Amino acid sequence: MAGALVVYLFPSTVQQIGLSQWIVALVLALLVTDYMRRLLRRHLDGYTGDGLEATQQVSEIAIYARLAASIPFV
């Protein structure tokens, strides 16, 4: 939902970032999700509702941070 809102509100920024940067951001989110899965499994022996919420938040922050870092500044 948030990604669709960004595309709608800032279409020129989305075009400036480029497809390769979007792919890198998604791969980063997958790596963060896998890390959180391992962490939760090791410490809690599985997922909880709070763990899933934290995983979603950390993955979303990773995507936004990567995309923000790839915006070309003039």
Side-chain angles (χ1 to χ4, degrees):
M1 178 69 180
L5 184 62
V6 169
V7 170
Y8 179 73
L9 292 176
F10 306 106
S12 62
T13 302
V14 172
Q15 292 171 353
Q16 289 175 348
I17 290 173
L19 182 61
S20 63
Q21 297 301 321
W22 285 97
I23 292 171
V24 170
L26 291 175
V27 169
L28 180 62
L30 289 173
L31 291 173
V32 168
T33 301
D34 185 54
Y35 172 76
M36 289 294 291
R37 180 188 60 83
R38 291 180 191 194
L39 183 73
L40 291 170
R41 185 166 296 196
R42 183 174 59 230
H43 288 288
L44 301 175
D45 293 327
Y47 281 114
T48 63
D50 291 339
L52 289 173
E53 175 83 22
T55 302
Q56 186 270 331
Q57 293 293 318
V58 172
S59 296
E60 188 173 345
I61 290 170
I63 289 172
Y64 291 148
R66 176 63 189 136
L67 292 177
S70 65
I71 295 174
F73 292 100
V74 180

